[in-house]
Amino acid sequence: EVQLVESGGGLIQPGGSLRLSCAASGFTVSHNYMSWVRQAPGKGLEWVSVFYSAGNTFYADSVKGRFTISRDNSKNTLYLQMNSLRAEDTAVYYCAREVTDSGTHYYFDSWGQGTLVTVSS
Amino acid sequence: DIQMTQSPSSLSASVGDRVTITCRTSQSINTYLNWYQQKPGKAPNLLIYVTSNLQSGVPSRFSGSGSGTDFTLSISSLQPEDSATYFCQQSYSIPWTFGQGTNVEIK
């Protein structure tokens, strides 16, 4: 059974740093595209970053230069290092697995339960 | 970035009603469109991928259609457990973007 479990969220002051973890089971993180998606309180979904199986990474403009996605293959875990945090980064952060039906169309088939990050003084 | 516009933003319908949600994109995305259902306090759940493919385990009353810039999610006979927010998402080009969501309420 595919399972994703996020951790590492919490209350942090503006300008601070936090590292989120997403522990996967039932599949191999390094063989899949893995994304972080966030949702501000009462708002919609915003894609944050993706780590491709080949090693490429991409970021939303809103976090570029501040956030870094990484993975530890030995722990089958995805990470999101968040620096220079701002109030507008307050959100539930989900990790999600992307799969494809054909090698071209991708979609999020599995999601973690999310971890809440609150940036406030 | 590809902008996604969902309509309506909310709706209220009775059990057994047919419900349709529309998603419009700012440029053509072929059929690179997915739909998710989210219930309060829960993670999103994949309903339909690549415009019209039903995810395993999703009831057949859900269906999707469209191509280019205009897409629809339909629920043929609304059930109480369908009360949720529905999001469309494009996977045509990074950054992946989502619609703002449609809140479906049961009358």
Side-chain angles (χ1 to χ4, degrees), chain A residues 39 42-43 45 92 94 111-114, chain B residues 35-47 57-59 61-62 75 78-87 101-106:
Chain A
Q39 186 170 36
K43 302 296 185 183
L45 300 167
V92 173
Y94 297 101
W111 299 67
Q113 84 289 353
Chain B
W35 290 97
Y36 303 86
Q37 176 193 65
Q38 186 180 33
K39 296 187 177 180
K42 299 293 187 183
N45 181 52
L46 177 67
L47 289 178
V58 173
R61 62 181 179 272
F62 291 92
I75 309 173
L78 192 66
Q79 298 301 304
E81 60 267 31
D82 300 336
S83 177
T85 301
Y86 294 83
F87 296 94
T102 295
N103 184 48
V104 174
E105 176 191 280
I106 309 296

Side-chain angles (χ1 to χ4, degrees), chain A residues 7-31:
Chain A
S7 60
L11 175 63
I12 187 78
Q13 291 190 337
S17 298
L18 213 52
R19 189 180 81 156
L20 306 183
S21 301
C22 171
S25 58
F27 73 101
T28 303
V29 163
S30 62
H31 294 175

Side-chain angles (χ1 to χ4, degrees), chain B residues 47-67:
Chain B
L47 289 178
I48 288 173
Y49 60 94
V50 193
T51 296
S52 59
N53 296 276
L54 205 61
Q55 173 68 346
S56 175
V58 173
S60 59
R61 62 181 179 272
F62 291 92
S63 64
S65 64
S67 69

Side-chain angles (χ1 to χ4, degrees), chain A residues 35 37 39 43-47 50 52 58-61 94 98 101 104-109 111-114, chain B residues 1 30-32 34 36 38 41-46 49-50 53 55 87 89 91 94-100:
Chain A
S35 271
V37 176
Q39 186 170 36
K43 302 296 185 183
L45 300 167
E46 179 189 17
W47 172 80
V50 63
Y52 282 175
F58 297 92
Y59 299 89
D61 285 347
Y94 297 101
E98 293 185 46
D101 65 331
T104 53
H105 296 83
Y106 283 86
Y107 46 93
F108 301 112
D109 80 322
W111 299 67
Q113 84 289 353
Chain B
D1 298 3
N30 197 334
T31 57
Y32 290 68
N34 310 307
Y36 303 86
Q38 186 180 33
K42 299 293 187 183
N45 181 52
L46 177 67
Y49 60 94
V50 193
N53 296 276
Q55 173 68 346
F87 296 94
Q89 176 245 333
S91 56
I94 281 180
W96 307 144
T97 46
F98 293 85
Q100 79 279 15

Side-chain angles (χ1 to χ4, degrees), chain A residues 4-7 18-24 28-36 48-59 63 66-83 94-96:
Chain A
L4 296 165
V5 179
E6 300 96 336
S7 60
L18 213 52
R19 189 180 81 156
L20 306 183
S21 301
C22 171
T28 303
V29 163
S30 62
H31 294 175
N32 287 266
Y33 291 10
M34 297 294 298
S35 271
W36 288 96
V48 172
S49 180
V50 63
F51 200 123
Y52 282 175
S53 50
N56 333 47
T57 59
F58 297 92
Y59 299 89
V63 307
R66 300 187 298 124
F67 290 12
T68 302
I69 192 171
S70 63
R71 69 188 183 200
D72 184 331
N73 296 343
S74 68
K75 295 182 179 179
N76 208 32
T77 298
L78 182 74
Y79 300 99
L80 186 67
Q81 177 67 43
M82 305 186 295
N83 298 331
Y94 297 101
C95 66

